[in-house]
Amino acid sequence: PTMSPSRIPFKTFPLTTRKLFHFQGSSVRSFLKRLTTRNLEGPPEPQNGSPLSALALNSSGKILSDLLLYKQRNDSVFIELDSLLVKRMMKRFQKYSIRQDVSIRLLDEWQVYVKGENDVNDTQELSDQFISFRDPRDSSLGNRIWTPKKMQQVEVLSPTELQTHSHNYYVNRCFQGVPEGYYDLLWEKSVPWESNYDVHKGVDLGFCFMGQELTARSFHTGVFRRRMMGVRAIDENGEFLDILRYEEGQEKKHLPKHGETIRAEGVEGRFSRMGRMGGSQGSVGLCLLKTKEAREGAIFYGEESGLRFKAIIPDWLDEVERAREARETI
């Protein structure tokens, strides 16, 4: 199998596909505790607050949105999510906020930045106009910076530089199997464990939340035959295409489209369906795949497009699979 390559450096850049919400009020923790997969009523926060990876699920345990949370001491929580899901999630938050002491505000005037790993440290910064913390999902994703758009905190990149460094960040996400947003996590179809949120610390099972019962049951059965993994397009000779070459808006597609059914060469019959495609950029993307075939180095292809690719095995997969097998023998 093809193991995850070394991490690719990138400069600080604005992540325009993400938006911020701010929640405040005496009910904010109990309110969000029900609607997200992290227990916000835990121990007191450190001075600068706590960043958390989380999910919003429906009652069937299917993912509505991935979230990055930052909870503070003063009944205040910031949440980052995909910009394409803002209207849907605002409607959901408002529905459950009736008779709750919680205010909900979309921070349209704020911008999300990603700070490159070379500049990363473990310290957190917090002020009225600036929040910075290490990405809790994986260290290769650098630091998050949330700040008003008018606050020019970072170097301005040219369009070409912006495209290059945002793509490098995307490649790192693919290498580590970190799905993010609408195009990676299909609305009400993806589930937490197949989406690697056990690895990326996105779920607390010790309390009640929307979708908790089915999520806990699937965790304790220990059967995760599919995982969201990075993939790379291959040519007619089975060789990988250039991973760093990406031009926004390019007409030629190297990977199957979002949501396309994926099959494996040489596998026939009812077991031939391997998973479905998430998002992609150029020759790299994220795809839900059967781990057995991925680890055996299978060549996958899109059912409609016929586009071929191989999986990139994240460096954490062996350890996670051993832990799963140990749970099954208890």
Side-chain angles (χ1 to χ4, degrees):
T2 304
M3 299 304 291
S4 173
S6 58
R7 297 167 180 187
I8 299 175
F10 55 88
K11 289 184 178 179
T12 303
F13 69 93
L15 192 58
T16 56
T17 57
R18 307 289 281 184
K19 290 289 187 181
L20 288 170
F21 280 91
H22 183 231
F23 298 78
Q24 194 156 20
S26 61
S27 303
V28 69
R29 297 195 180 209
S30 58
F31 167 72
L32 289 174
K33 178 183 172 183
R34 181 186 179 193
L35 297 180
T36 74
T37 55
R38 300 305 299 268
N39 185 0
L40 300 184
E41 294 185 321
E45 286 7 286
Q47 185 71 29
N48 286 344
S50 299
L52 299 169
S53 168
L55 297 168
L57 308 179
N58 66 12
S59 58
S60 301
K62 300 295 178 66
I63 296 175
L64 301 176
S65 177
D66 66 294
L67 309 169
L68 281 177
L69 284 71
Y70 195 91
K71 57 176 183 170
Q72 301 172 254
R73 286 176 174 266
N74 58 349
D75 293 325
S76 170
V77 177
F78 290 84
I79 292 184
E80 178 197 305
L81 51 79
D82 191 282
S83 58
L84 294 176
L85 298 175
V86 164
K87 289 184 178 179
R88 292 182 184 183
M89 293 305 295
M90 175 62 95
K91 185 176 180 180
R92 183 173 180 81
F93 291 142
Q94 290 174 336
K95 174 183 175 181
Y96 289 98
S97 67
I98 297 172
R99 293 189 293 274
Q100 300 274 340
D101 178 23
V102 56
S103 66
I104 307 168
R105 189 162 68 95
L106 174 63
L107 299 179
D108 254 336
E109 70 278 14
W110 283 54
Q111 177 67 60
V112 175
Y113 291 89
V114 181
K115 186 178 183 182
E117 187 183 12
N118 291 345
D119 302 323
V120 163
N121 54 57
D122 288 317
T123 61
Q124 293 167 200
E125 297 181 58
L126 176 66
S127 71
D128 291 339
Q129 300 294 319
F130 189 85
I131 299 173
S132 175
F133 56 89
R134 194 176 191 120
D135 195 311
R137 299 169 299 178
D138 190 85
S139 61
S140 69
L141 305 183
N143 272 34
R144 274 305 205 264
I145 299 173
W146 298 340
T147 186
K149 293 176 182 177
K150 64 182 180 181
M151 304 290 288
Q152 291 295 331
Q153 302 275 0
V154 299
E155 174 190 353
V156 177
L157 300 177
S158 71
T160 301
E161 288 177 318
L162 174 59
Q163 186 172 289
T164 297
H165 293 292
S166 62
H167 181 62
N168 290 356
Y169 164 80
Y170 181 83
V171 170
N172 284 345
R173 277 208 301 110
C174 293
F175 285 172
Q176 296 305 317
V178 184
E180 183 177 275
Y182 173 80
Y183 285 106
D184 293 337
L185 300 164
L186 277 69
W187 177 268
E188 295 191 303
K189 290 185 180 179
S190 300
V191 296
W193 311 130
E194 290 182 345
S195 303
N196 306 328
Y197 275 84
D198 52 340
V199 179
H200 303 310
K201 309 176 189 70
V203 180
D204 293 329
L205 289 175
F207 75 104
C208 291
F209 55 82
M210 188 81 72
Q212 184 266 346
E213 182 178 351
L214 292 173
T215 301
R217 187 186 304 164
S218 63
F219 179 81
H220 292 299
T221 60
V223 182
F224 313 143
R225 293 190 176 91
R226 290 183 173 92
R227 286 274 184 181
M228 187 68 77
M229 285 186 270
V231 297
R232 288 183 64 181
I234 57 175
D235 61 20
E236 59 274 9
N237 299 316
E239 299 295 324
F240 286 121
L241 301 183
D242 186 356
I243 201 167
L244 291 181
R245 206 170 153 206
Y246 170 66
E247 295 177 12
E248 194 169 351
Q250 60 189 4
E251 292 183 12
K252 185 176 173 76
K253 287 285 290 183
H254 298 296
L255 287 168
K257 67 182 180 182
H258 166 68
E260 187 171 344
T261 297
I262 303 302
R263 300 192 183 276
E265 293 185 354
V267 182
E268 304 294 337
R270 64 192 182 96
F271 297 110
S272 64
R273 183 171 177 168
M274 295 290 123
R276 63 177 177 271
M277 191 69 198
S280 65
Q281 283 186 12
S283 65
V284 64
L286 278 159
C287 187
L288 182 67
L289 292 171
K290 288 185 178 178
T291 55
K292 178 177 180 292
E293 284 76 6
R295 296 172 82 177
E296 290 173 351
I299 294 177
F300 301 97
Y301 65 93
E303 184 177 62
E304 298 173 33
S305 64
L307 293 169
R308 302 160 74 237
F309 60 90
K310 290 183 179 180
I312 304 297
I313 308 302
D315 50 21
W316 47 258
L317 185 60
D318 284 341
E319 182 180 346
V320 169
E321 289 291 293
R322 285 194 296 270
R324 177 185 63 80
E325 290 165 2
R327 284 203 311 275
E328 290 179 349
T329 59
I330 295 176

